[in-house]
Coordinates of all heavy atoms in Angstrom, one line a residue:
M18 N -29.5 -11.6 -4.4 CA -28.6 -12.0 -3.3 C -27.2 -11.5 -3.7 O -26.4 -11.1 -2.8 CB -28.7 -13.6 -3.3 CG -27.8 -14.1 -2.2 SD -28.6 -13.8 -0.7 CE -28.1 -15.0 0.3
E19 N -26.8 -11.3 -5.0 CA -25.6 -10.9 -5.3 C -25.3 -9.4 -4.9 O -24.2 -9.1 -4.5 CB -25.3 -11.1 -6.9 CG -24.0 -10.7 -7.4 CD -23.7 -11.1 -8.8 OE1 -24.2 -12.1 -9.2 OE2 -22.9 -10.3 -9.4
Y20 N -26.5 -8.6 -5.0 CA -26.4 -7.2 -4.6 C -25.9 -7.1 -3.2 O -25.2 -6.3 -2.7 CB -27.6 -6.5 -4.8 CG -27.7 -5.1 -4.5 CD1 -27.0 -4.1 -5.2 CD2 -28.5 -4.6 -3.4 CE1 -27.0 -2.8 -4.9 CE2 -28.5 -3.4 -3.0 CZ -27.8 -2.4 -3.8 OH -27.8 -1.0 -3.4
L21 N -26.5 -8.0 -2.3 CA -26.3 -7.9 -0.9 C -24.9 -8.3 -0.7 O -24.1 -7.6 0.2 CB -27.2 -8.9 -0.1 CG -27.1 -8.9 1.4 CD1 -27.3 -7.6 2.0 CD2 -28.0 -9.9 2.0
H22 N -24.3 -9.3 -1.4 CA -22.9 -9.7 -1.2 C -21.9 -8.5 -1.6 O -21.0 -8.2 -1.0 CB -22.6 -10.8 -2.2 CG -21.3 -11.3 -2.2 ND1 -20.7 -11.8 -1.1 CD2 -20.3 -11.1 -3.1 CE1 -19.4 -12.2 -1.3 NE2 -19.0 -11.7 -2.5
D23 N -22.4 -7.7 -2.8 CA -21.5 -6.5 -3.1 C -21.7 -5.5 -2.1 O -20.6 -5.0 -1.8 CB -22.2 -6.0 -4.4 CG -22.0 -6.9 -5.6 OD1 -21.2 -7.8 -5.5 OD2 -22.6 -6.7 -6.7
Q24 N -22.8 -5.3 -1.5 CA -22.8 -4.2 -0.3 C -21.9 -4.7 0.8 O -21.3 -3.8 1.4 CB -24.3 -4.0 0.2 CG -25.1 -3.2 -0.8 CD -26.5 -3.1 -0.3 OE1 -27.1 -3.9 0.4 NE2 -26.9 -1.9 -0.5
E25 N -22.0 -6.0 1.1 CA -21.2 -6.4 2.3 C -19.7 -6.3 2.0 O -19.0 -5.8 2.8 CB -21.4 -7.9 2.5 CG -22.8 -8.2 3.1 CD -23.1 -9.6 3.2 OE1 -22.3 -10.5 3.0 OE2 -24.2 -10.0 3.7
R26 N -19.3 -6.6 0.7 CA -17.8 -6.4 0.3 C -17.4 -4.9 0.3 O -16.4 -4.6 0.7 CB -17.5 -7.1 -1.0 CG -17.7 -8.5 -1.0 CD -16.6 -9.3 -1.6 NE -15.4 -8.7 -2.2 CZ -14.2 -8.9 -1.9 NH1 -14.0 -9.7 -0.7 NH2 -13.2 -8.4 -2.4
A27 N -18.3 -4.1 -0.1 CA -18.1 -2.6 -0.2 C -17.9 -2.2 1.3 O -17.1 -1.3 1.6 CB -19.1 -1.9 -0.9
Q28 N -18.8 -2.6 2.2 CA -18.7 -2.2 3.6 C -17.4 -2.8 4.2 O -16.8 -2.1 5.0 CB -19.9 -2.7 4.4 CG -19.9 -2.2 5.9 CD -19.9 -0.7 6.0 OE1 -20.8 0.0 5.4 NE2 -19.1 -0.1 6.7
K29 N -17.0 -3.9 3.9 CA -15.7 -4.4 4.4 C -14.6 -3.7 3.9 O -13.6 -3.5 4.7 CB -15.5 -6.0 4.0 CG -16.5 -6.9 4.8 CD -16.2 -8.3 4.4 CE -17.2 -9.2 5.3 NZ -17.0 -10.7 5.2
A30 N -14.6 -3.3 2.6 CA -13.6 -2.5 2.1 C -13.4 -1.1 2.9 O -12.4 -0.6 3.3 CB -13.7 -2.2 0.6
Y31 N -14.6 -0.5 3.1 CA -14.6 0.9 3.8 C -14.2 0.6 5.4 O -13.3 1.3 5.8 CB -16.1 1.4 4.0 CG -16.1 2.6 4.6 CD1 -15.6 3.8 3.9 CD2 -16.8 2.9 5.8 CE1 -15.6 5.1 4.6 CE2 -17.1 4.1 6.4 CZ -16.4 5.1 5.9 OH -16.6 6.5 6.4
D32 N -14.5 -0.5 6.0 CA -14.1 -0.8 7.3 C -12.4 -1.1 7.4 O -11.9 -0.5 8.2 CB -14.7 -2.0 7.8 CG -16.3 -1.8 8.2 OD1 -16.8 -0.5 8.1 OD2 -17.0 -2.9 8.2
A33 N -12.1 -1.7 6.3 CA -10.7 -1.9 6.3 C -9.8 -0.6 6.2 O -8.9 -0.4 6.7 CB -10.3 -3.0 5.2
L34 N -10.4 0.3 5.3 CA -9.8 1.6 5.2 C -9.8 2.3 6.3 O -8.8 3.0 6.7 CB -10.6 2.3 3.9 CG -10.1 3.7 3.6 CD1 -8.7 3.7 3.2 CD2 -10.9 4.3 2.5
L35 N -11.0 2.3 7.0 CA -11.0 3.2 8.4 C -10.0 2.6 9.3 O -9.4 3.4 10.0 CB -12.4 3.1 9.0 CG -13.4 3.8 8.1 CD1 -14.8 3.8 9.0 CD2 -13.1 5.3 8.0
K36 N -9.7 1.4 9.4 CA -8.8 0.8 10.3 C -7.5 1.1 9.9 O -6.6 1.5 10.8 CB -9.0 -0.7 10.3 CG -8.1 -1.6 11.3 CD -8.3 -2.9 11.1 CE -7.4 -3.7 12.2 NZ -7.6 -5.1 12.3
Y37 N -7.1 1.1 8.6 CA -5.9 1.5 8.1 C -5.5 3.1 8.5 O -4.4 3.5 8.8 CB -5.8 1.3 6.5 CG -4.4 1.7 5.9 CD1 -3.3 1.1 6.3 CD2 -4.5 2.5 4.9 CE1 -2.1 1.3 5.7 CE2 -3.2 2.9 4.3 CZ -2.1 2.1 4.7 OH -0.9 2.5 4.0
L38 N -6.6 3.8 8.3 CA -6.4 5.3 8.6 C -6.4 5.7 10.1 O -5.8 6.8 10.3 CB -7.6 6.1 8.1 CG -7.7 6.2 6.5 CD1 -9.0 6.6 6.0 CD2 -6.5 7.0 6.1
T39 N -6.8 4.8 11.0 CA -6.7 5.1 12.5 C -5.3 4.9 12.9 O -5.0 5.8 14.0 CB -7.5 4.1 13.2 OG1 -7.0 2.7 13.1 CG2 -8.9 4.1 12.9
V40 N -4.4 4.5 12.3 CA -2.9 4.3 12.7 C -2.2 5.7 12.3 O -1.5 6.0 13.1 CB -2.3 3.1 12.0 CG1 -0.8 3.2 12.3 CG2 -2.9 1.8 12.4
S41 N -2.5 6.2 11.1 CA -1.8 7.4 10.8 C -2.5 8.0 9.6 O -3.2 7.3 8.8 CB -0.3 7.1 10.3 OG 0.3 8.1 9.8
M42 N -2.3 9.3 9.4 CA -2.8 9.9 8.2 C -2.2 9.3 6.9 O -1.0 9.0 7.0 CB -2.5 11.5 8.3 CG -3.2 12.2 7.2 SD -2.8 14.0 7.6 CE -4.4 14.7 7.6
R43 N -2.9 9.1 5.9 CA -2.4 8.5 4.7 C -2.9 9.2 3.5 O -3.9 9.9 3.6 CB -2.9 7.0 4.5 CG -2.9 6.2 5.8 CD -1.6 5.7 6.0 NE -1.5 4.8 7.3 CZ -0.6 4.0 7.5 NH1 0.4 3.9 6.7 NH2 -0.7 3.3 8.5
S44 N -2.0 9.1 2.4 CA -2.5 9.6 1.1 C -3.5 8.8 0.4 O -3.7 7.5 0.9 CB -1.1 9.8 0.2 OG -0.8 8.5 -0.3
E45 N -4.3 9.3 -0.5 CA -5.2 8.6 -1.4 C -4.5 7.4 -2.0 O -5.1 6.3 -2.0 CB -5.9 9.4 -2.3 CG -6.9 8.8 -3.1 CD -7.7 9.8 -4.0 OE1 -7.6 11.0 -3.9 OE2 -8.3 9.2 -5.0
R46 N -3.4 7.6 -2.5 CA -2.7 6.5 -3.3 C -2.3 5.4 -2.3 O -2.5 4.2 -2.6 CB -1.4 7.0 -3.9 CG -0.8 5.9 -4.7 CD 0.4 6.5 -5.3 NE 0.7 5.7 -6.5 CZ 0.8 5.9 -7.7 NH1 0.7 7.2 -8.1 NH2 1.1 5.1 -8.6
E47 N -1.8 5.7 -1.0 CA -1.5 4.7 -0.1 C -2.8 3.8 0.3 O -2.7 2.6 0.3 CB -1.0 5.3 1.2 CG 0.4 5.9 1.0 CD 0.8 6.6 2.4 OE1 0.1 7.6 2.8 OE2 1.9 6.3 2.9
C48 N -3.8 4.5 0.5 CA -5.0 3.9 0.8 C -5.5 3.0 -0.2 O -5.9 1.7 0.0 CB -6.2 4.9 1.2 SG -5.9 5.9 2.7
R49 N -5.5 3.4 -1.5 CA -6.1 2.7 -2.6 C -5.2 1.4 -2.7 O -5.6 0.4 -2.9 CB -5.9 3.5 -4.0 CG -6.4 2.9 -5.1 CD -6.4 3.9 -6.3 NE -7.9 4.6 -6.3 CZ -7.9 5.8 -6.0 NH1 -6.9 6.6 -5.7 NH2 -9.1 6.2 -6.0
N50 N -3.8 1.5 -2.7 CA -2.9 0.4 -2.8 C -3.1 -0.6 -1.6 O -3.2 -1.7 -1.9 CB -1.5 1.0 -2.8 CG -1.0 1.6 -4.1 OD1 -1.7 1.6 -4.9 ND2 0.1 2.4 -3.8
K51 N -3.4 -0.2 -0.4 CA -3.6 -1.0 0.7 C -4.9 -1.9 0.5 O -4.8 -3.1 0.7 CB -3.7 -0.3 1.9 CG -3.8 -1.1 3.2 CD -2.6 -2.0 3.4 CE -2.5 -2.5 4.8 NZ -1.2 -3.2 4.8
L52 N -5.9 -1.2 -0.1 CA -7.2 -2.0 -0.3 C -7.0 -3.0 -1.5 O -7.5 -4.1 -1.3 CB -8.3 -1.0 -0.5 CG -8.8 -0.1 0.7 CD1 -9.8 0.7 0.2 CD2 -9.3 -1.1 1.7
Y53 N -6.2 -2.6 -2.5 CA -5.9 -3.6 -3.5 C -5.1 -4.7 -3.0 O -5.3 -5.9 -3.4 CB -5.3 -2.9 -4.7 CG -6.2 -2.2 -5.6 CD1 -5.8 -0.8 -5.9 CD2 -7.4 -2.7 -6.2 CE1 -6.7 0.0 -6.8 CE2 -8.2 -1.9 -7.0 CZ -7.9 -0.7 -7.3 OH -8.6 0.1 -8.1
E54 N -4.1 -4.5 -2.0 CA -3.4 -5.4 -1.5 C -4.3 -6.5 -0.7 O -4.0 -7.7 -0.6 CB -2.4 -4.9 -0.5 CG -1.1 -4.4 -1.2 CD -0.1 -3.6 -0.1 OE1 -0.2 -4.2 1.1 OE2 0.6 -2.7 -0.5
K55 N -5.3 -6.0 -0.1 CA -6.3 -6.7 0.6 C -7.1 -7.7 -0.2 O -8.0 -8.4 0.3 CB -6.9 -6.0 1.7 CG -6.0 -5.4 2.8 CD -6.9 -4.8 3.7 CE -6.2 -4.6 5.0 NZ -5.8 -5.8 5.9
G56 N -7.1 -7.4 -1.6 CA -7.9 -8.2 -2.4 C -9.2 -7.6 -2.9 O -10.2 -8.3 -3.4
F57 N -9.5 -6.4 -2.5 CA -10.8 -5.7 -2.9 C -10.7 -5.3 -4.5 O -9.7 -5.0 -4.9 CB -11.1 -4.4 -2.0 CG -11.3 -4.9 -0.6 CD1 -10.4 -4.6 0.3 CD2 -12.6 -5.5 -0.2 CE1 -10.7 -5.0 1.7 CE2 -12.8 -5.8 1.1 CZ -11.8 -5.6 2.1
H58 N -11.9 -5.4 -5.0 CA -12.0 -5.1 -6.4 C -12.2 -3.6 -6.5 O -12.4 -2.8 -5.7 CB -13.3 -5.8 -6.9 CG -13.2 -7.2 -6.9 ND1 -12.3 -8.0 -7.6 CD2 -13.9 -8.0 -6.1 CE1 -12.4 -9.3 -7.2 NE2 -13.4 -9.3 -6.3
R59 N -12.0 -3.2 -7.8 CA -11.9 -1.7 -8.2 C -13.1 -1.0 -7.7 O -13.0 0.1 -7.0 CB -11.8 -1.6 -9.7 CG -11.7 -0.1 -10.1 CD -11.5 0.0 -11.7 NE -11.3 1.2 -12.1 CZ -12.4 2.1 -12.4 NH1 -13.6 1.7 -12.4 NH2 -12.2 3.2 -12.9
D60 N -14.3 -1.4 -8.0 CA -15.5 -0.7 -7.4 C -15.6 -0.6 -5.9 O -16.0 0.4 -5.5 CB -16.8 -1.5 -8.0 CG -17.0 -1.4 -9.4 OD1 -16.3 -0.6 -10.1 OD2 -17.8 -2.2 -10.0
E61 N -15.2 -1.7 -5.3 CA -15.1 -1.5 -3.8 C -14.2 -0.6 -3.3 O -14.5 0.2 -2.3 CB -14.9 -3.0 -3.3 CG -16.0 -4.0 -3.7 CD -15.3 -5.4 -3.6 OE1 -14.2 -5.6 -3.4 OE2 -16.2 -6.3 -3.6
V62 N -13.0 -0.5 -4.0 CA -12.0 0.4 -3.5 C -12.4 1.9 -3.8 O -12.3 2.6 -3.0 CB -10.6 0.1 -4.3 CG1 -9.6 1.3 -4.1 CG2 -10.1 -1.2 -3.7
E63 N -12.9 2.1 -4.9 CA -13.4 3.5 -5.3 C -14.5 3.9 -4.4 O -14.5 5.0 -4.0 CB -13.8 3.5 -6.7 CG -12.6 3.4 -7.8 CD -11.5 4.3 -7.6 OE1 -11.7 5.4 -7.3 OE2 -10.3 3.8 -7.7
N64 N -15.4 3.0 -4.1 CA -16.5 3.3 -3.1 C -16.0 3.8 -1.8 O -16.3 4.7 -1.3 CB -17.5 2.2 -3.1 CG -18.6 2.5 -2.2 OD1 -18.6 2.3 -1.0 ND2 -19.8 2.9 -2.8
A65 N -15.0 3.0 -1.3 CA -14.5 3.2 0.0 C -13.8 4.5 0.1 O -13.9 5.4 1.0 CB -13.6 2.0 0.4
I66 N -12.9 4.8 -1.0 CA -12.2 6.0 -1.1 C -13.1 7.2 -1.2 O -12.8 8.3 -0.4 CB -11.3 6.0 -2.3 CG1 -10.2 4.9 -2.2 CG2 -10.6 7.3 -2.5 CD1 -9.0 5.2 -1.2
E67 N -14.0 7.2 -2.0 CA -14.9 8.3 -2.1 C -15.8 8.5 -0.9 O -15.9 9.8 -0.4 CB -15.9 8.1 -3.2 CG -15.3 8.3 -4.6 CD -14.5 9.4 -4.8 OE1 -15.1 10.5 -4.5 OE2 -13.5 9.4 -5.2
R68 N -16.2 7.6 -0.1 CA -16.9 7.7 1.2 C -15.9 8.5 2.1 O -16.4 9.3 2.9 CB -17.4 6.3 1.7 CG -18.7 6.1 1.5 CD -19.0 4.6 1.9 NE -19.5 4.6 3.5 CZ -19.8 3.6 4.0 NH1 -19.7 2.4 3.5 NH2 -20.2 3.7 5.3
A69 N -14.7 7.9 2.3 CA -13.7 8.5 3.2 C -13.5 10.0 2.9 O -13.3 10.7 3.7 CB -12.6 7.6 3.3
K70 N -13.2 10.2 1.6 CA -13.1 11.6 1.2 C -14.2 12.5 1.5 O -14.0 13.7 1.9 CB -12.7 11.6 -0.3 CG -11.3 11.1 -0.6 CD -11.1 11.0 -2.2 CE -11.1 12.3 -2.8 NZ -10.7 12.2 -4.2
G71 N -15.4 12.0 1.4 CA -16.6 12.7 1.8 C -16.5 13.1 3.2 O -17.1 14.2 3.5
Y72 N -16.0 12.4 4.1 CA -15.8 12.7 5.5 C -14.6 13.3 5.8 O -14.2 13.7 6.9 CB -16.1 11.4 6.4 CG -17.5 10.8 6.4 CD1 -17.7 9.6 5.7 CD2 -18.4 11.5 7.0 CE1 -18.9 9.0 5.8 CE2 -19.7 10.9 7.2 CZ -19.9 9.7 6.5 OH -21.2 9.2 6.6
R73 N -13.8 13.6 4.8 CA -12.5 14.3 4.8 C -11.5 13.4 5.6 O -10.5 13.9 6.4 CB -12.6 15.6 5.4 CG -13.3 16.6 4.5 CD -13.2 18.0 4.7 NE -11.7 18.2 4.9 CZ -11.3 19.4 4.7 NH1 -11.9 20.4 4.7 NH2 -9.8 19.5 5.0
F74 N -11.7 12.0 5.7 CA -10.7 11.2 6.3 C -9.4 11.0 5.5 O -8.5 10.7 5.9 CB -11.3 9.8 6.6 CG -12.5 9.8 7.5 CD1 -13.4 8.8 7.4 CD2 -12.5 10.7 8.5 CE1 -14.6 8.8 8.3 CE2 -13.6 10.6 9.5 CZ -14.7 9.7 9.3
I75 N -9.8 11.3 4.2 CA -8.5 11.2 3.2 C -8.6 12.7 2.4 O -9.6 13.1 2.0 CB -8.8 10.2 2.1 CG1 -8.8 8.8 2.7 CG2 -7.6 10.4 1.1 CD1 -9.1 7.8 1.7
D76 N -7.4 13.4 2.7 CA -7.4 14.8 2.1 C -5.8 14.9 1.7 O -5.1 15.1 2.7 CB -7.9 15.7 3.2 CG -7.8 17.2 2.7 OD1 -7.2 17.5 1.6 OD2 -8.5 18.0 3.3
D77 N -5.5 14.7 0.5 CA -4.0 14.7 0.1 C -3.5 16.2 0.4 O -2.3 16.2 0.7 CB -4.1 14.4 -1.4 CG -4.0 13.0 -1.5 OD1 -4.0 12.2 -0.5 OD2 -4.1 12.4 -2.7
E78 N -4.2 17.1 0.3 CA -3.6 18.6 0.4 C -3.4 18.7 1.9 O -2.2 19.1 2.3 CB -4.6 19.5 0.1 CG -4.1 21.0 0.0 CD -5.2 22.0 -0.6 OE1 -5.6 21.6 -1.6 OE2 -5.4 23.0 0.0
E79 N -4.2 18.3 2.9 CA -3.9 18.3 4.3 C -2.8 17.3 4.5 O -1.8 17.6 5.4 CB -5.2 18.0 5.1 CG -5.0 18.0 6.7 CD -4.5 19.4 7.0 OE1 -4.9 20.4 6.4 OE2 -3.7 19.5 8.0
Y80 N -2.8 16.2 4.0 CA -1.7 15.2 4.2 C -0.3 15.9 3.9 O 0.7 15.6 4.6 CB -2.0 13.9 3.4 CG -0.8 13.0 3.5 CD1 -0.7 12.0 4.4 CD2 0.2 12.9 2.4 CE1 0.3 11.1 4.6 CE2 1.2 12.0 2.5 CZ 1.3 11.2 3.5 OH 2.3 10.2 3.6
A81 N -0.3 16.4 2.7 CA 1.1 17.1 2.3 C 1.4 18.3 3.3 O 2.6 18.3 3.6 CB 0.9 17.7 0.9
R82 N 0.4 19.1 3.7 CA 0.7 20.1 4.6 C 1.3 19.6 5.9 O 2.3 20.0 6.4 CB -0.5 21.0 4.8 CG -0.3 22.3 5.6 CD -1.5 23.1 5.7 NE -2.8 22.7 5.1 CZ -3.2 22.9 3.8 NH1 -2.5 23.7 3.1 NH2 -4.3 22.4 3.4
S83 N 0.7 18.5 6.4 CA 1.1 17.8 7.7 C 2.5 17.4 7.5 O 3.3 17.4 8.5 CB 0.0 16.9 8.1 OG 0.4 16.2 9.2
F84 N 2.7 16.6 6.4 CA 4.0 16.0 6.1 C 5.1 17.1 6.1 O 6.3 16.8 6.9 CB 3.9 15.2 4.8 CG 5.3 14.6 4.4 CD1 5.5 13.2 4.9 CD2 6.2 15.3 3.7 CE1 6.7 12.8 4.5 CE2 7.4 14.6 3.4 CZ 7.6 13.3 3.8
V85 N 4.9 18.2 5.5 CA 5.8 19.2 5.4 C 6.1 19.8 6.8 O 7.3 19.9 7.3 CB 5.5 20.3 4.4 CG1 6.4 21.5 4.5 CG2 5.7 19.7 3.0
N86 N 5.2 20.1 7.6 CA 5.2 20.7 8.9 C 6.0 19.7 9.8 O 6.9 20.3 10.6 CB 3.8 21.1 9.5 CG 3.3 22.3 8.7 OD1 4.1 23.1 8.2 ND2 2.0 22.4 8.8
F87 N 5.6 18.5 9.7 CA 6.4 17.6 10.6 C 7.8 17.4 10.3 O 8.6 17.3 11.2 CB 5.6 16.2 10.5 CG 6.2 15.1 11.4 CD1 6.0 15.2 12.8 CD2 7.0 14.2 11.0 CE1 6.5 14.2 13.6 CE2 7.5 13.2 11.7 CZ 7.4 13.2 13.0
N88 N 8.1 17.3 9.0 CA 9.5 17.0 8.6 C 10.4 18.1 8.4 O 11.7 17.9 8.4 CB 9.4 16.1 7.2 CG 8.9 14.7 7.5 OD1 9.5 13.9 8.4 ND2 7.7 14.4 7.0
K89 N 9.9 19.3 8.3 CA 10.8 20.5 8.1 C 11.7 20.7 9.2 O 12.9 21.2 8.9 CB 10.0 21.8 7.7 CG 9.3 22.4 8.8 CD 8.6 23.6 8.4 CE 7.7 24.3 9.5 NZ 6.9 25.2 9.0
S90 N 11.4 20.5 10.3 CA 12.4 20.6 11.5 C 13.3 19.5 11.5 O 14.4 19.7 12.0 CB 11.7 20.7 12.8 OG 10.9 19.6 13.1
R91 N 12.9 18.3 11.1 CA 13.9 17.2 11.1 C 14.9 17.2 10.0 O 16.1 16.9 10.0 CB 13.0 15.9 11.1 CG 12.2 15.7 12.3 CD 11.4 14.4 12.2 NE 11.8 13.5 11.2 CZ 11.4 12.2 11.1 NH1 10.7 11.7 11.9 NH2 11.8 11.4 10.0
C92 N 14.3 17.6 8.8 CA 15.2 17.5 7.6 C 15.6 18.9 7.2 O 16.7 18.9 6.5 CB 14.4 16.9 6.4 SG 13.8 15.3 6.8
G93 N 14.9 19.9 7.5 CA 15.3 21.2 6.9 C 14.5 21.5 5.7 O 14.2 20.6 4.9
A94 N 14.1 22.7 5.6 CA 13.2 23.1 4.4 C 13.9 22.9 3.1 O 13.1 22.5 2.2 CB 12.8 24.7 4.7
K95 N 15.1 23.3 2.9 CA 15.8 23.0 1.6 C 15.7 21.6 1.2 O 15.6 21.3 0.0 CB 17.2 23.6 1.7 CG 17.3 25.1 1.7 CD 18.7 25.6 1.6 CE 18.7 27.1 1.6 NZ 20.1 27.7 1.5
K96 N 16.0 20.8 2.2 CA 16.0 19.4 1.8 C 14.6 18.8 1.4 O 14.5 17.9 0.4 CB 16.4 18.5 2.9 CG 16.9 17.0 2.6 CD 17.5 16.2 3.8 CE 17.9 14.9 3.2 NZ 18.6 14.3 4.4
L97 N 13.6 19.3 2.1 CA 12.2 19.0 1.7 C 11.9 19.4 0.2 O 11.2 18.7 -0.5 CB 11.2 19.5 2.7 CG 11.0 18.7 3.9 CD1 10.1 19.6 5.0 CD2 10.5 17.4 3.6
L98 N 12.4 20.5 -0.1 CA 12.0 21.0 -1.5 C 12.6 20.1 -2.4 O 12.2 19.7 -3.5 CB 12.4 22.5 -1.7 CG 11.7 23.6 -0.8 CD1 12.2 24.8 -1.1 CD2 10.1 23.5 -1.3

């Protein structure tokens, strides 16, 4: 019975993560912090993060590239560096 409860919590963590990611692209750290804020345990958070990374819903390299491209015209390239 406890195993089923663990699976349910892991799925809830993943669902919460997907909901968080639908608003905007996020870094892995932002996602991890958000799940901890919501009260999920380490194993649940790590499972959700790894699943999302497997589908490339979380990709820090792409996040950084997107961040720079979006902000370079607003801030200037020198300021971003």
Side-chain angles (χ1 to χ4, degrees):
M18 189 69 154
E19 189 172 317
Y20 179 71
L21 183 58
H22 180 69
D23 291 344
Q24 281 184 322
E25 288 174 8
R26 291 221 11 115
Q28 185 61 46
K29 285 183 181 186
Y31 183 67
D32 292 344
L34 177 58
L35 291 182
K36 186 176 179 182
Y37 184 58
L38 288 168
T39 59
V40 175
S41 176
M42 188 178 235
R43 312 286 182 159
S44 71
E45 182 176 337
R46 181 179 204 123
E47 288 174 308
C48 293
R49 185 173 273 112
N50 289 344
K51 186 64 163 182
L52 290 175
Y53 282 129
E54 281 176 23
K55 289 188 167 285
F57 292 106
H58 300 290
R59 184 177 179 270
D60 291 343
E61 298 158 351
V62 170
E63 293 305 318
N64 180 280
I66 295 288
E67 288 306 313
R68 263 178 88 183
K70 285 171 71 175
Y72 290 111
R73 296 194 51 162
F74 296 149
I75 299 174
D76 184 341
D77 281 352
E78 194 172 309
E79 182 59 34
Y80 175 81
R82 193 177 355 270
S83 177
F84 180 85
V85 168
N86 286 335
F87 179 76
N88 287 300
K89 71 180 174 186
S90 62
R91 290 178 16 163
C92 302
K95 287 184 179 182
K96 190 171 185 180
L97 276 176
L98 290 175

